[in-house]
Amino acid sequence: MTTGKYFGYAGKILTVDLSSSNYVVEDTPFDLIVNFMGGKGFGAKILYDGLKPGCDPLSPDNTMVMATGPLTGTLMPASGHITLSTKSPLTGIWLDSHCGGFFGPELKMAGYDAIIVKGKAKKPTVLVVKDSKISFEDGRDLWGKLTFDTQELLRKKHGENCQFMCIGPAGERKARFANIVSGGRGFGRGGSGAVMGSKNLKAIVVKGTKSLNIHDLDGFMRMCREAYNELMVSPDTGGGRPKYGTNSIYSFMIEAGAHPVKNFQTGVFEEVKECNEDVLDRKYYKRHIACFSCPINCSKASRVDDGKYKGKFTEGPEYENMWSLGAQCGNSNIGSIIYGEHLCDEYGLDAISAGNVIGFTMECFERGILSEKQIGFPTNFGNDDAIIKFIEMMAKGKGVGELMSQGVRQMSKELGKSTEKFAMHVKGMELPAYDPRGAFGMGLAYATSDRGACHLRAWTLGAEILDVRERMDPFATEFKAELVKNQQDFYAVIQSAVVCLFLNFGLTQRQITRCIQTLTGIKEWKTTEDILKIGERIYNLTRLFSMREGISAKDDTLPERLLREPTKEGPTKGVVVDLDTMLKEYYLVRHWDEKGRPTKEKLAELGLDK
Amino acid sequence: MKVKIKAKFFAMPRDYQGERELEMEVSEDFQQALEEIDSRTKIGIKEKLDKRFVILINGRNYRKVLEDKSKLEEGDNLAFVPFLGGG
């Protein structure tokens, strides 16, 4: 049975109130579709309109919006994603987080473009959504369980054909960067797991049996085939990524000095000789794993076959975690990285933030700001035992782990002693695996990302370091504002059409928008520019959201280490980021005033002035 | 004049070449050096340079580096990197 009167959409939004165990199913408004597309766009509009400014992200007043987009769950390659939007307990501002795998398509097949979750259940609860059958089940026997155990028990109860998203012990105790796990993937950053934990929502189960209407079936199938072929001939999505996963860039990042080492103290990592993507491929990768409808197969199943961590395994390790639990901590023991990443998944912690905070803690120890007595054990850079201990301590809130789990901004605030100079965050979100002193564009990307420091709003390193046509210089400020704005707007489209961001590394913007057009047939989306405008609208709306929560131009900045402390060696020796120049140009390009506020004219142009 | 350089191969070039690094003595003239490297490796520099991969000299795009210096130097690293994206 097909669903939805709009092509590509399921046609309904499910709103659940956990406080009263009630729910409402409404039609997806066309207005919302045509102006905000889906996914992140839906979240931005729904939360901007419906969330009380200043509300405590961990109170029943916060709302979670899980939403797919028109391309989700179709034969479009890599269409297995779903987005989650909420107010972040880590940053206090806008958060959108994205998860691969199979949950998104299943939700669409159940007949919903989005689930909105409000309130707080009186006791641990599991929300079950099976087509039009919605129920609230007792989750008390699952509370306290690790994420994979939780999913296994839910699978036994509800069947193999369901999809799940759940929190672990870290989310239950509202650790500020707790994540949500779904299958072997997750909503990683910003503490969405803590929001879910604060609502006493342990898990969501979804099962769907419907299908979709397509506007121009022949056209869309042709585009899907073209997309598939393009992905397969790209050196990225058809070469490096299938073979090495996200670690295809590992050696290259280190070569360019853009892989931060020891809490961004240097870009030189000699250990790359024994810790690199080739070693991963030869010794640790056992199997490829793909998400729904994806030929890229970037995910890997890894296992340690000998040594201290023999028997440990993970789905990964991702490039970001090879960094956060690796070079960020001065660690090159791949076995420990695999084990550490898996522990983060089990407990439900964002591994990027976790590793960033551990590296910060190690630096505090080496500087004598934290003592062995305070921590409980010595914790110099390179101590892999300490990394594993810290993950458990953060997940459980034990000892210094409790402070660490509040995030590096809060931790440095409490420690004082000028630690804020090397607390590597923007707006409270810990920096991920790229050093902007190796590519200035990433500095602008981090400073202006709408959820705090993030590499998934603009990824400029390819253009800055590799691209021959644009002749960009990674250590120059020219053209970076345009590049970052264009990527942010386009990534917002991808995160609202809801497909995997990695499509962007094999397809052109034109090809992706053509897929959206043939699928939906929406007349208002005639050109690529029409669709990019939706991305621009979303990016301005999330800006308004965060401004309402207190963000201003002074928060569009970088940690002092990147602005004033050049590295002493390697390709980035002597470099600091000239953010001011790029930021001034960025505000101009965005039509924001010198205080970083969208101008009245820009808001009117985007229809955001009401 | 000849200089000792290190050729590094990442991702797909690494796959074609079968190894990550190769130390070799090449001409200090960049174009000449490329021809010499091409004849000694399996990555297909002539057909694929700037189409499938690019070269980083000591971590920086080779075109940028050659704007500042015209010759290769002893100890230079030449990394062959495909057009990759992040995530």
Side-chain angles (χ1 to χ4, degrees), chain A residues 510-529:
Chain A
R510 184 85 190 90
Q511 283 168 327
I512 294 174
T513 55
R514 193 84 196 104
C515 292
I516 298 171
Q517 287 163 329
T518 48
L519 170 70
T520 62
I522 289 180
K523 294 187 187 63
E524 287 83 346
W525 299 350
K526 258 200 218 55
T527 63
T528 305
E529 285 65 37

PDB file of all heavy atoms in Angstrom, chain A residues 510-529:
ATOM      1  N   ARG A 510      24.337  19.432  -8.839  1.00  0.00           N
ATOM      2  CA  ARG A 510      23.307  19.338  -9.874  1.00  0.00           C
ATOM      3  C   ARG A 510      22.685  17.945  -9.901  1.00  0.00           C
ATOM      4  O   ARG A 510      21.490  17.771 -10.012  1.00  0.00           O
ATOM      5  CB  ARG A 510      23.947  19.668 -11.234  1.00  0.00           C
ATOM      6  CG  ARG A 510      22.994  19.715 -12.396  1.00  0.00           C
ATOM      7  CD  ARG A 510      22.318  21.064 -12.551  1.00  0.00           C
ATOM      8  NE  ARG A 510      21.248  20.978 -13.540  1.00  0.00           N
ATOM      9  CZ  ARG A 510      19.984  20.656 -13.216  1.00  0.00           C
ATOM     10  NH1 ARG A 510      19.666  20.404 -11.971  1.00  0.00           N
ATOM     11  NH2 ARG A 510      19.070  20.588 -14.152  1.00  0.00           N
ATOM     12  N   GLN A 511      23.547  16.931  -9.802  1.00  0.00           N
ATOM     13  CA  GLN A 511      23.047  15.562  -9.859  1.00  0.00           C
ATOM     14  C   GLN A 511      22.138  15.259  -8.663  1.00  0.00           C
ATOM     15  O   GLN A 511      21.089  14.628  -8.813  1.00  0.00           O
ATOM     16  CB  GLN A 511      24.210  14.566  -9.891  1.00  0.00           C
ATOM     17  CG  GLN A 511      24.869  14.470 -11.255  1.00  0.00           C
ATOM     18  CD  GLN A 511      26.172  13.716 -11.230  1.00  0.00           C
ATOM     19  OE1 GLN A 511      26.917  13.757 -10.237  1.00  0.00           O
ATOM     20  NE2 GLN A 511      26.491  13.048 -12.312  1.00  0.00           N
ATOM     21  N   ILE A 512      22.541  15.724  -7.487  1.00  0.00           N
ATOM     22  CA  ILE A 512      21.739  15.434  -6.294  1.00  0.00           C
ATOM     23  C   ILE A 512      20.407  16.172  -6.372  1.00  0.00           C
ATOM     24  O   ILE A 512      19.347  15.599  -6.080  1.00  0.00           O
ATOM     25  CB  ILE A 512      22.526  15.797  -5.016  1.00  0.00           C
ATOM     26  CG1 ILE A 512      23.739  14.853  -4.887  1.00  0.00           C
ATOM     27  CG2 ILE A 512      21.644  15.701  -3.784  1.00  0.00           C
ATOM     28  CD1 ILE A 512      24.682  15.173  -3.753  1.00  0.00           C
ATOM     29  N   THR A 513      20.443  17.436  -6.822  1.00  0.00           N
ATOM     30  CA  THR A 513      19.170  18.172  -6.885  1.00  0.00           C
ATOM     31  C   THR A 513      18.259  17.587  -7.961  1.00  0.00           C
ATOM     32  O   THR A 513      17.037  17.565  -7.817  1.00  0.00           O
ATOM     33  CB  THR A 513      19.381  19.681  -7.122  1.00  0.00           C
ATOM     34  OG1 THR A 513      20.165  19.867  -8.297  1.00  0.00           O
ATOM     35  CG2 THR A 513      20.092  20.323  -5.948  1.00  0.00           C
ATOM     36  N   ARG A 514      18.852  17.058  -9.045  1.00  0.00           N
ATOM     37  CA  ARG A 514      18.043  16.432 -10.091  1.00  0.00           C
ATOM     38  C   ARG A 514      17.314  15.200  -9.544  1.00  0.00           C
ATOM     39  O   ARG A 514      16.169  14.930  -9.926  1.00  0.00           O
ATOM     40  CB  ARG A 514      18.943  16.056 -11.269  1.00  0.00           C
ATOM     41  CG  ARG A 514      18.216  15.688 -12.533  1.00  0.00           C
ATOM     42  CD  ARG A 514      17.828  16.905 -13.368  1.00  0.00           C
ATOM     43  NE  ARG A 514      16.826  16.493 -14.351  1.00  0.00           N
ATOM     44  CZ  ARG A 514      15.521  16.773 -14.230  1.00  0.00           C
ATOM     45  NH1 ARG A 514      15.087  17.470 -13.210  1.00  0.00           N
ATOM     46  NH2 ARG A 514      14.667  16.354 -15.145  1.00  0.00           N
ATOM     47  N   CYS A 515      17.964  14.466  -8.656  1.00  0.00           N
ATOM     48  CA  CYS A 515      17.310  13.316  -8.025  1.00  0.00           C
ATOM     49  C   CYS A 515      16.107  13.776  -7.217  1.00  0.00           C
ATOM     50  O   CYS A 515      15.040  13.161  -7.261  1.00  0.00           O
ATOM     51  CB  CYS A 515      18.280  12.573  -7.108  1.00  0.00           C
ATOM     52  SG  CYS A 515      19.602  11.736  -7.987  1.00  0.00           S
ATOM     53  N   ILE A 516      16.274  14.882  -6.483  1.00  0.00           N
ATOM     54  CA  ILE A 516      15.175  15.414  -5.672  1.00  0.00           C
ATOM     55  C   ILE A 516      14.019  15.855  -6.576  1.00  0.00           C
ATOM     56  O   ILE A 516      12.848  15.610  -6.288  1.00  0.00           O
ATOM     57  CB  ILE A 516      15.651  16.595  -4.800  1.00  0.00           C
ATOM     58  CG1 ILE A 516      16.727  16.123  -3.815  1.00  0.00           C
ATOM     59  CG2 ILE A 516      14.489  17.239  -4.046  1.00  0.00           C
ATOM     60  CD1 ILE A 516      17.422  17.237  -3.068  1.00  0.00           C
ATOM     61  N   GLN A 517      14.367  16.491  -7.692  1.00  0.00           N
ATOM     62  CA  GLN A 517      13.328  17.005  -8.596  1.00  0.00           C
ATOM     63  C   GLN A 517      12.534  15.889  -9.248  1.00  0.00           C
ATOM     64  O   GLN A 517      11.301  15.928  -9.293  1.00  0.00           O
ATOM     65  CB  GLN A 517      13.959  17.881  -9.684  1.00  0.00           C
ATOM     66  CG  GLN A 517      14.435  19.225  -9.173  1.00  0.00           C
ATOM     67  CD  GLN A 517      15.409  19.891 -10.144  1.00  0.00           C
ATOM     68  OE1 GLN A 517      16.153  19.229 -10.859  1.00  0.00           O
ATOM     69  NE2 GLN A 517      15.413  21.211 -10.154  1.00  0.00           N
ATOM     70  N   THR A 518      13.220  14.877  -9.776  1.00  0.00           N
ATOM     71  CA  THR A 518      12.502  13.793 -10.469  1.00  0.00           C
ATOM     72  C   THR A 518      11.669  12.980  -9.476  1.00  0.00           C
ATOM     73  O   THR A 518      10.596  12.482  -9.817  1.00  0.00           O
ATOM     74  CB  THR A 518      13.464  12.836 -11.193  1.00  0.00           C
ATOM     75  OG1 THR A 518      14.522  12.480 -10.297  1.00  0.00           O
ATOM     76  CG2 THR A 518      14.059  13.483 -12.431  1.00  0.00           C
ATOM     77  N   LEU A 519      12.139  12.887  -8.238  1.00  0.00           N
ATOM     78  CA  LEU A 519      11.400  12.121  -7.237  1.00  0.00           C
ATOM     79  C   LEU A 519      10.126  12.850  -6.832  1.00  0.00           C
ATOM     80  O   LEU A 519       9.057  12.262  -6.765  1.00  0.00           O
ATOM     81  CB  LEU A 519      12.277  11.908  -5.997  1.00  0.00           C
ATOM     82  CG  LEU A 519      11.578  11.332  -4.772  1.00  0.00           C
ATOM     83  CD1 LEU A 519      11.192   9.878  -5.007  1.00  0.00           C
ATOM     84  CD2 LEU A 519      12.470  11.427  -3.545  1.00  0.00           C
ATOM     85  N   THR A 520      10.236  14.152  -6.543  1.00  0.00           N
ATOM     86  CA  THR A 520       9.111  14.864  -5.920  1.00  0.00           C
ATOM     87  C   THR A 520       8.226  15.605  -6.927  1.00  0.00           C
ATOM     88  O   THR A 520       7.044  15.802  -6.670  1.00  0.00           O
ATOM     89  CB  THR A 520       9.614  15.906  -4.900  1.00  0.00           C
ATOM     90  OG1 THR A 520      10.409  16.879  -5.598  1.00  0.00           O
ATOM     91  CG2 THR A 520      10.462  15.250  -3.821  1.00  0.00           C
ATOM     92  N   GLY A 521       8.830  16.076  -8.017  1.00  0.00           N
ATOM     93  CA  GLY A 521       8.057  16.849  -8.995  1.00  0.00           C
ATOM     94  C   GLY A 521       7.538  18.161  -8.453  1.00  0.00           C
ATOM     95  O   GLY A 521       6.599  18.741  -9.001  1.00  0.00           O
ATOM     96  N   ILE A 522       8.118  18.641  -7.356  1.00  0.00           N
ATOM     97  CA  ILE A 522       7.618  19.881  -6.760  1.00  0.00           C
ATOM     98  C   ILE A 522       7.983  21.055  -7.660  1.00  0.00           C
ATOM     99  O   ILE A 522       9.158  21.311  -7.933  1.00  0.00           O
ATOM    100  CB  ILE A 522       8.178  20.050  -5.326  1.00  0.00           C
ATOM    101  CG1 ILE A 522       7.504  18.998  -4.427  1.00  0.00           C
ATOM    102  CG2 ILE A 522       7.927  21.461  -4.792  1.00  0.00           C
ATOM    103  CD1 ILE A 522       7.928  19.015  -2.983  1.00  0.00           C
ATOM    104  N   LYS A 523       6.931  21.798  -8.128  1.00  0.00           N
ATOM    105  CA  LYS A 523       7.136  22.824  -9.162  1.00  0.00           C
ATOM    106  C   LYS A 523       8.030  23.957  -8.657  1.00  0.00           C
ATOM    107  O   LYS A 523       8.763  24.564  -9.409  1.00  0.00           O
ATOM    108  CB  LYS A 523       5.795  23.389  -9.615  1.00  0.00           C
ATOM    109  CG  LYS A 523       4.922  22.375 -10.330  1.00  0.00           C
ATOM    110  CD  LYS A 523       3.661  23.060 -10.909  1.00  0.00           C
ATOM    111  CE  LYS A 523       2.692  22.041 -11.469  1.00  0.00           C
ATOM    112  NZ  LYS A 523       2.158  21.102 -10.455  1.00  0.00           N
ATOM    113  N   GLU A 524       7.945  24.233  -7.350  1.00  0.00           N
ATOM    114  CA  GLU A 524       8.722  25.341  -6.791  1.00  0.00           C
ATOM    115  C   GLU A 524      10.218  25.029  -6.784  1.00  0.00           C
ATOM    116  O   GLU A 524      11.034  25.905  -6.565  1.00  0.00           O
ATOM    117  CB  GLU A 524       8.260  25.628  -5.353  1.00  0.00           C
ATOM    118  CG  GLU A 524       6.894  26.311  -5.242  1.00  0.00           C
ATOM    119  CD  GLU A 524       5.732  25.339  -5.315  1.00  0.00           C
ATOM    120  OE1 GLU A 524       5.939  24.168  -5.714  1.00  0.00           O
ATOM    121  OE2 GLU A 524       4.608  25.737  -4.968  1.00  0.00           O
ATOM    122  N   TRP A 525      10.565  23.779  -7.027  1.00  0.00           N
ATOM    123  CA  TRP A 525      11.978  23.382  -7.001  1.00  0.00           C
ATOM    124  C   TRP A 525      12.485  23.144  -8.419  1.00  0.00           C
ATOM    125  O   TRP A 525      12.893  22.055  -8.789  1.00  0.00           O
ATOM    126  CB  TRP A 525      12.162  22.112  -6.174  1.00  0.00           C
ATOM    127  CG  TRP A 525      11.764  22.228  -4.729  1.00  0.00           C
ATOM    128  CD1 TRP A 525      11.447  23.371  -4.044  1.00  0.00           C
ATOM    129  CD2 TRP A 525      11.621  21.161  -3.798  1.00  0.00           C
ATOM    130  NE1 TRP A 525      11.128  23.065  -2.739  1.00  0.00           N
ATOM    131  CE2 TRP A 525      11.233  21.713  -2.555  1.00  0.00           C
ATOM    132  CE3 TRP A 525      11.782  19.771  -3.871  1.00  0.00           C
ATOM    133  CZ2 TRP A 525      11.008  20.940  -1.412  1.00  0.00           C
ATOM    134  CZ3 TRP A 525      11.569  19.013  -2.735  1.00  0.00           C
ATOM    135  CH2 TRP A 525      11.184  19.589  -1.517  1.00  0.00           C
ATOM    136  N   LYS A 526      12.410  24.220  -9.254  1.00  0.00           N
ATOM    137  CA  LYS A 526      12.741  24.046 -10.672  1.00  0.00           C
ATOM    138  C   LYS A 526      14.234  23.922 -10.891  1.00  0.00           C
ATOM    139  O   LYS A 526      14.682  23.176 -11.748  1.00  0.00           O
ATOM    140  CB  LYS A 526      12.224  25.259 -11.472  1.00  0.00           C
ATOM    141  CG  LYS A 526      10.948  25.008 -12.222  1.00  0.00           C
ATOM    142  CD  LYS A 526      10.809  26.050 -13.327  1.00  0.00           C
ATOM    143  CE  LYS A 526       9.378  26.513 -13.521  1.00  0.00           C
ATOM    144  NZ  LYS A 526       8.688  27.041 -12.356  1.00  0.00           N
ATOM    145  N   THR A 527      15.022  24.708 -10.147  1.00  0.00           N
ATOM    146  CA  THR A 527      16.457  24.760 -10.422  1.00  0.00           C
ATOM    147  C   THR A 527      17.268  24.355  -9.196  1.00  0.00           C
ATOM    148  O   THR A 527      16.750  24.316  -8.077  1.00  0.00           O
ATOM    149  CB  THR A 527      16.878  26.179 -10.803  1.00  0.00           C
ATOM    150  OG1 THR A 527      16.628  27.022  -9.655  1.00  0.00           O
ATOM    151  CG2 THR A 527      16.094  26.704 -11.996  1.00  0.00           C
ATOM    152  N   THR A 528      18.565  24.146  -9.437  1.00  0.00           N
ATOM    153  CA  THR A 528      19.473  23.869  -8.326  1.00  0.00           C
ATOM    154  C   THR A 528      19.467  25.045  -7.342  1.00  0.00           C
ATOM    155  O   THR A 528      19.540  24.854  -6.125  1.00  0.00           O
ATOM    156  CB  THR A 528      20.903  23.639  -8.853  1.00  0.00           C
ATOM    157  OG1 THR A 528      20.866  22.603  -9.824  1.00  0.00           O
ATOM    158  CG2 THR A 528      21.850  23.225  -7.739  1.00  0.00           C
ATOM    159  N   GLU A 529      19.363  26.261  -7.899  1.00  0.00           N
ATOM    160  CA  GLU A 529      19.356  27.460  -7.045  1.00  0.00           C
ATOM    161  C   GLU A 529      18.144  27.477  -6.122  1.00  0.00           C
ATOM    162  O   GLU A 529      18.224  27.880  -4.959  1.00  0.00           O
ATOM    163  CB  GLU A 529      19.361  28.734  -7.907  1.00  0.00           C
ATOM    164  CG  GLU A 529      20.704  29.049  -8.548  1.00  0.00           C
ATOM    165  CD  GLU A 529      21.136  28.009  -9.574  1.00  0.00           C
ATOM    166  OE1 GLU A 529      20.269  27.482 -10.314  1.00  0.00           O
ATOM    167  OE2 GLU A 529      22.344  27.709  -9.623  1.00  0.00           O
TER     168      GLU A 529
END
